[in-house]
Amino acid sequence: MTNPEQTMRPLVDRLNEASQAYYFGEEPIMSDKDWDALYDQLSALELNTGVVLPDSPTHRVGGKPMSAFQEHTHVSRLWSMDKVQSIEALEDWIRRTEKLADGAALTYFVEYKFDGLTLNLTYDNGQLIQAATRGNGVTGEAILPQARTIRTVPLTIPYKGFLEVQGECIMRLSTLEKYNQTAKEPLKNARNAAAGAIRNLDPTVTAERRLDAYFYQVGTIRERSFASQPEMLDFLRENGFPVSEYLGRPQTREELIACIREIETARPTLDYLIDGVLVKVGDFSLREQMGYTDRFPRWAVAYKFEAEETTTTLKDVTWELGRTGKLTPLAHVEPVDFYGVTVRKATLNNYGDILRKRVAIGAEVWIRRSNDVIPEIMGRVGEPSEGEAEIIRPAFCPACGSALVERGAHIFCTNREGCRPQAIARMTHFVSRDAMDVEGLSEKTLTQLYDQMNVRDCADLYGITLEQALSLEGFKQRKAEKLLAALERARTALWTHSCMPSAFRM
Ligand SMILES: [Zn+2]
């Protein structure tokens, strides 16, 4: 009888190789169908023989729930980071560092400071043998089955010596959004979602959250050493560990500050949370010379950004009409200083969103900075209390009083022409650059046309006479003629595209 391990080994290797290529964005080496077939074959073998190789991809889906977390003592301590929150404080840190370097040339390295949960992974003989949370830096909790579900945590590595690697476990914002679309109770925050998933005793829950990880530090390595930060990062990359997508190497203080500004600007466009920038001295012999305080290394500092989330009180919800007649809730919140501006309004997507997030008037809520102009309400802080008022779903249009209809997740006013704000919004869109690009028709002018000349929809716009145009506020002969010419051009364009005005009647 053949040894089951001998049968499984090529299957496991082939599957891991294919996943690696997939998760690191390389050329796919196997179709999904082939992958599934091999995976099923491996699962069946494991079930029949009771043998599961330590790097089997079946670990990725999580195993049996655990009853409790075991304590794990890190071989090398995980240090905290010295923190600064202003450029002035950073400059003070640079001066101190220069003094400690005692005239030696300093090269700084800059990378993202991920906002997730710290992981410490242990490898021996090329196998992931343990994973732990940071804990107090000396001891953490053992979370090997949970860490194995993270696809960007390598289960095997080419390096065969003993190794401890530190990184940050995160949940991508796109993953969080996708998860929340079907989740019974939406997760408010990617950081808490990642931390909660890792610290869940049931690894299948961890697997469902589809976490990711980035690595930045070799804590312990026995059979080799590194001279510099780039050498260490190269080693991490060669062994399949993802590292920060941003790696700056500023030559001067000015360049260092420019790096920080650059990251701060890019921050809202990233698919994960970062809460700052890490600045590290690159030369490892200098690091040794500088040493540690009792809490943190003297050769690194975290430049912390302002929080991307804050809390405030929800004061009111109004319903705003769009050009399609869709009513969207707009949250009015207790003014709060956030990201350098005073926030008074926040987004809630629809009535279902309000129910799922369990928010109410008077409730304390989390708001999160989003790429839109106004932040989004993520959920409530704490449990409902007395004095809160339910947010009522409107039955009639706040603008025209028509009965509202429900379509999917949204509510609509179907009074297309008689509902002033939606008719004006529709015409404003129609003449905008994104659509017909008619110059000379501002929202203000369209409002005047609606109120005084009975212009109700886009087709009516074509009926405007020169006399009517001349009576519009701010319109003289030349401007009025230009407007009529622009409308005529738009009409011709419509016909050439054999596109009736009704095509715009959404
Ligand atoms: Zn209406």
Side-chain angles (χ1 to χ4, degrees), residues 169-377:
C169 163
I170 52 135
M171 189 172 190
R172 289 186 182 278
L173 298 176
S174 53
T175 311
L176 176 76
E177 203 182 316
K178 224 174 177 178
Y179 180 92
N180 276 351
Q181 277 167 8
T182 52
K184 232 174 165 184
E185 185 150 355
L187 302 163
K188 290 162 209 168
N189 163 303
R191 192 197 171 279
N192 295 345
I198 281 289
R199 299 200 63 261
N200 196 300
L201 286 165
D202 184 355
T204 57
V205 173
T206 324
E208 277 164 18
R209 301 260 175 107
R210 304 201 154 269
L211 305 180
D212 271 288
Y214 284 94
F215 297 86
Y216 47 80
Q217 181 71 26
V218 171
T220 309
I221 186 158
R222 294 214 174 120
E223 284 82 14
R224 63 166 292 177
S225 60
F226 306 107
S228 68
Q229 174 86 353
E231 202 187 313
M232 187 192 72
L233 291 177
D234 282 345
F235 170 84
L236 288 176
R237 275 198 210 94
E238 283 157 17
N239 281 282
F241 297 100
V243 301
S244 168
E245 278 151 13
Y246 184 100
L247 293 168
R249 196 174 178 164
Q251 302 295 322
T252 60
R253 265 187 231 193
E254 290 70 30
E255 282 181 19
L256 171 56
I257 292 164
C259 279
I260 291 174
R261 295 289 176 239
E262 195 185 328
I263 297 176
E264 209 163 12
T265 311
R267 184 187 187 197
T269 67
L270 300 176
D271 193 25
Y272 37 75
L273 300 178
I274 59 168
D275 60 349
V277 174
L278 289 171
V279 182
K280 296 173 179 174
V281 171
D283 185 306
F284 280 20
S285 59
L286 263 178
R287 285 190 183 181
E288 214 161 294
Q289 184 186 318
M290 291 174 181
Y292 296 79
T293 70
D294 57 349
R295 283 182 301 137
F296 38 72
R298 291 198 180 90
W299 44 264
V301 72
Y303 179 92
K304 292 267 282 177
F305 291 148
E306 268 190 77
E308 285 206 301
E309 283 160 341
T310 189
T311 60
T312 183
T313 307
L314 178 60
K315 282 167 55 185
D316 196 12
V317 170
T318 54
W319 295 81
E320 307 296 313
L321 261 175
R323 66 184 152 91
T324 59
K326 184 164 96 181
L327 280 160
T328 312
L330 178 70
H332 301 260
V333 297
E334 189 68 44
V336 55
D337 287 331
F338 184 41
Y339 243 87
V341 291
T342 304
V343 169
R344 291 187 170 81
K345 289 171 187 168
T347 308
L348 281 162
N349 297 310
N350 50 49
Y351 191 68
D353 196 36
I354 292 172
L355 293 181
R356 287 195 314 140
K357 290 174 175 168
R358 299 189 301 138
V359 293
I361 310 290
E364 202 183 352
V365 292
W366 277 104
I367 58 171
R368 179 175 147 65
R369 190 187 187 209
S370 75
N371 289 337
D372 297 328
V373 188
I374 61 172
E376 185 177 350
I377 290 192

Side-chain angles (χ1 to χ4, degrees), residues 88 90-100 253:
E88 294 73 46
L90 178 69
E91 285 179 333
D92 285 345
W93 179 83
I94 292 173
R95 273 190 284 277
R96 287 201 301 276
T97 311
E98 281 173 353
K99 219 168 161 188
L100 286 166
R253 265 187 231 193

Side-chain angles (χ1 to χ4, degrees), residues 430 436 438 458-464 484-501:
F430 181 75
M436 297 315 297
V438 180
C458 310
D460 289 344
L461 282 172
Y462 296 125
I464 299 175
L484 290 195
L487 283 169
E488 186 52 38
R489 269 199 307 277
R491 176 160 57 178
T492 328
L494 266 186
W495 283 109
T496 26
H497 291 107
S498 63
C499 182
M500 298 293 286

Side-chain angles (χ1 to χ4, degrees), residues 110-129:
V110 174
E111 58 197 69
Y112 290 148
K113 184 178 183 301
F114 292 97
D115 191 11
L117 188 80
T118 302
L119 288 180
N120 190 32
L121 306 180
T122 313
Y123 290 83
D124 199 10
N125 198 25
Q127 304 280 355
L128 175 67
I129 56 164

Side-chain angles (χ1 to χ4, degrees), residues 321 397 400 413 419 422:
L321 261 175
C397 175
C400 71
C413 167
C419 186
Q422 64 163 301

